Amino acid sequence: MAFTNASFTLTSAVELLKQHHLLREIITPERWTVNTAGLPGADTPIPAITYDTREVTPGSLLFVKGRFKPEFMDGIDERGLAVYVSETEFSDRTSAVGLIVEDAPKAMALLSFEFYGRPDRQLKMVGITGTKGKTTTNYFTHAILNAYSHGRAAITSSIACCLDGNTWIPSKLTTPVSLDLAHMMREAVDNGMEYFVMEVSSQAYKVNRVYDLTFDAGAFLNISPDHISPIEHPTFEDYLHCKRQIIAHSRWFVLGADCDHADLLREDAAANNVPVFSFALHDEAAGERTPADLTVSPTEGTKTGITVSCDGETRAFTLDMLGEFNFLNAAAAIALAVNIGVPFDSDAMKAIESVQVPGHMERFTGGENLLVFVDFAHNYLSTKALVDEMVRVYGERDPHITVVAGSTGGKAIDRREGIVKGALGQAESYIFTTDDPNFEDPQAICEQMASYVTDDARTQIIVDRDQAITTAIGEAREHADRFNIVLVIGKGHERRNIINGKAVPWPGDATIVRRELDARPAGL
Ligand SMILES: CC(=O)N[C@H]1[C@@H](OP(=O)(O)OP(=O)(O)OC[C@H]2O[C@@H](n3ccc(=O)[nH]c3=O)[C@H](O)[C@@H]2O)O[C@H](CO)[C@@H](O)[C@@H]1O[C@H](C)C(=O)N[C@@H](C)C(=O)N[C@H](CCC(=O)O)C(=O)O
Ligand SMILES: Nc1ncnc2c1ncn2[C@@H]1O[C@H](COP(=O)(O)OP(=O)(O)OP(=O)(O)O)[C@@H](O)[C@H]1O
């Protein structure tokens, strides 16, 4: 049944916009005003809100945003549009009331959360940002909170969301558009959820998808240059500035103590009176021991065993995912859980032990001397972390590492160099291939990536991704005398390639690897 909110009216919407200094004026066919008094239907509940003209029903309020075209308004009065919220007026196309605002995305967030009855204030909210590890930390945190609340934790992530404890729906964005997010939070409340765990991308702050949201616990995991392009962030400074907004919007702030610019992030927290709770990896062998409120150390002699210390107590866990970086993600999740009220010694913390994230560190074996990993690494930080992990875990077998990777077209241009830089000096062979080239020529992206290989590693360009993976595995098999690791990175769980603006179905890296190896995922 469609949601209704009897107290959401034109008058209440205008009052809210005024409180946030967002209202410019109200435009009606009769007059321009800043007051709703005397406007017909001003105190009648608004039955529906949408950002798409195709979804307008009688009495709807429409948000005009982004690349909206005036012709979308044609015929809208016949479909019963009552109100539109926009930065520009459309009096020539509609006689609906126009709320002209300073910032349409902010107005949309504010009014959407209000329309859905501020569900965020009925949930314990957890927000996670950082360049790398958001999804994994999100899954870990969700698992703990779900265990602690007996299935009452909702989650949205870049892979999928779950609002009822059972049903997983694939996601389109890392952080949903504010109206969709508001709707999801409402659904979570109606389904009896107590917690809501979400990834917060830098774009979410840039385009005000989370405007006016406060997280009970917010995390900043790490930062390195990423998402710098004409359609994302013009500079690293802008990228970091956007991500930093989470601090002022958190009640407790969980910080990766080794994060670049950690001092600046602590200053933000101090300026906003937000208490900081830090976490860090203490690896004696690597000499890493930045002081932190919660620390995690690898358990000697194991690949995925960790010891976590907090407030003088210590606990041991064994993860089901490889990757030293996942130790940090697990620590971040435990820190978030502690800061939202889960006791450190709770059994619920054990839930991290069975978490697996689709397309993240999926491991396949092709006999004694061949391992293939499918992973979502697609920038400098994550590729470096992945390759370092191979050296940490398999270094003594002197692996021959082949990287199969492409990079996206039209955005995040810095990743092309970042991916190569992350593997440089450790990989012996690169096969560059297609990964969401969009309107760019994948061959040209591959050539650019190949130009960053400055050591004597072998480079090949095989644009057909299936063929690239097949070749990497075939070549490894031809050299069964050495220990081979093939890293197929960038797409992770994704089942499509963006080509010329269209999502072209892709069977998935893991599907191709399985077909080639005719093997099941191997245990750790
Ligand atoms: C900048 C931004 O927030 N863009 C999002 C935004 O686009 P937009 O508002 O320009 O919408 P549009 O699709 O161009 O259409 C314009 C408007 O006309 C409406 N319309 C359209 C047709 C019609 O007949 N009538 C009509 O009313 C549409 O519903 C829309 O509201 O709203 C769309 C859904 O309505 C999103 O798909 C789109 O995400 C873009 C494509 C996107 O993918 N952005 C990436 C960069 C992003 O946000 N990524 C981050 C992750 C980054 C990270 O990993 O850190 C993320 O959070 O996912
Ligand atoms: N804490 C970390 N530090 C560095 N690399 C990491 C970390 N956690 C995960 N990775 C690497 O980054 C990849 C993506 O991880 P994850 O999806 O959890 O991050 P994300 O922040 O959600 O990424 P994206 O924004 O690209 O969706 C993993 O497959 C792994 O290779």
Side-chain angles (χ1 to χ4, degrees), residues 128-138 158-159 174 199 201 221-222 226-227 239 243 279 321 324-329 357-361 374-386 415 489 492-494:
I128 300 164
T129 200
T131 301
K132 280 294 142 222
K134 293 184 294 297
T135 306
T136 314
T137 304
N138 206 16
S158 55
I159 299 179
T174 300
E199 287 178 54
S201 62
L221 306 176
N222 48 51
D226 200 5
H227 296 291
Y239 173 58
K243 277 202 185 297
F279 65 94
M321 289 177 77
E324 202 168 36
F325 45 81
N326 284 325
F327 301 172
L328 266 171
N329 295 335
V357 184
H360 289 59
M361 294 306 278
V374 170
D375 188 59
F376 198 42
H378 52 252
N379 67 356
Y380 168 72
L381 196 63
S382 53
T383 308
K384 175 149 175 37
L386 174 63
R415 286 181 184 165
I489 63 172
H493 61 284
E494 289 175 359

Side-chain angles (χ1 to χ4, degrees), residues 438-489:
N438 208 351
F439 294 103
E440 284 193 58
D441 174 9
Q443 172 79 25
I445 296 176
C446 292
E447 283 169 14
Q448 193 181 345
M449 292 179 81
S451 75
Y452 297 122
V453 180
T454 49
D455 59 9
D456 56 6
R458 182 162 175 244
T459 62
Q460 296 175 74
I461 293 174
I462 304 177
V463 170
D464 180 330
R465 193 170 177 97
D466 185 329
Q467 196 55 46
I469 298 171
T470 307
T471 303
I473 293 175
E475 288 182 357
R477 281 201 160 132
E478 281 166 23
H479 293 91
D481 50 314
R482 67 186 187 210
F483 175 51
N484 298 281
I485 295 180
V486 175
L487 303 175
V488 183
I489 63 172

Side-chain angles (χ1 to χ4, degrees), residues 269-518:
N272 289 284
N273 289 320
V274 181
V276 179
F277 186 96
S278 57
F279 65 94
L281 178 71
H282 280 196
D283 185 344
E284 293 303 324
E288 289 163 339
R289 56 177 82 85
T290 307
D293 298 303
L294 183 144
T295 62
V296 60
S297 309
T299 310
E300 223 177 288
T302 71
K303 287 186 184 130
T304 59
I306 52 172
T307 308
V308 181
S309 302
C310 177
D311 252 342
E313 278 182 66
T314 294
R315 297 193 60 180
F317 302 94
T318 304
L319 302 182
D320 203 13
M321 289 177 77
L322 267 182
E324 202 168 36
F325 45 81
N326 284 325
F327 301 172
L328 266 171
N329 295 335
I334 295 173
L336 279 165
V338 165
N339 280 282
I340 205 157
V342 181
F344 180 61
D345 62 3
S346 165
D347 278 351
M349 298 293 187
K350 280 271 176 198
I352 56 167
E353 295 193 319
S354 48
V355 170
Q356 286 187 342
V357 184
H360 289 59
M361 294 306 278
E362 280 192 70
R363 178 178 182 270
F364 304 85
T365 187
E368 277 288 282
N369 276 339
L370 172 59
L371 284 181
V372 184
F373 285 86
V374 170
D375 188 59
F376 198 42
H378 52 252
N379 67 356
Y380 168 72
L381 196 63
S382 53
T383 308
K384 175 149 175 37
L386 174 63
V387 174
D388 285 352
E389 177 67 4
M390 295 301 117
V391 174
R392 181 183 80 89
V393 179
Y394 305 106
E396 59 191 28
R397 295 185 68 188
D398 190 20
H400 178 283
I401 299 177
T402 299
V403 174
V404 180
S407 196
T408 182
K411 59 175 186 174
I413 311 297
D414 51 318
R415 286 181 184 165
R416 298 174 195 180
E417 182 175 7
I419 290 168
V420 174
K421 230 169 97 186
L424 212 59
Q426 314 262 35
E428 271 90 356
S429 170
Y430 296 84
I431 302 185
F432 295 111
T433 187
T434 297
D435 185 354
D436 295 345
N438 208 351
F439 294 103
E440 284 193 58
D441 174 9
Q443 172 79 25
I445 296 176
C446 292
E447 283 169 14
Q448 193 181 345
M449 292 179 81
S451 75
Y452 297 122
V453 180
T454 49
D455 59 9
D456 56 6
R458 182 162 175 244
T459 62
Q460 296 175 74
I461 293 174
I462 304 177
V463 170
D464 180 330
R465 193 170 177 97
D466 185 329
Q467 196 55 46
I469 298 171
T470 307
T471 303
I473 293 175
E475 288 182 357
R477 281 201 160 132
E478 281 166 23
H479 293 91
D481 50 314
R482 67 186 187 210
F483 175 51
N484 298 281
I485 295 180
V486 175
L487 303 175
V488 183
I489 63 172
K491 293 212 83 61
H493 61 284
E494 289 175 359
R495 293 299 186 102
R496 47 115 186 93
N497 255 309
I498 307 293
I499 298 174
N500 294 325
K502 295 217 164 63
V504 178
W506 163 246
D509 288 353
T511 307
I512 307 293
V513 171
R514 258 188 222 111
R515 184 196 69 204
E516 285 307 299
L517 294 178
D518 191 27

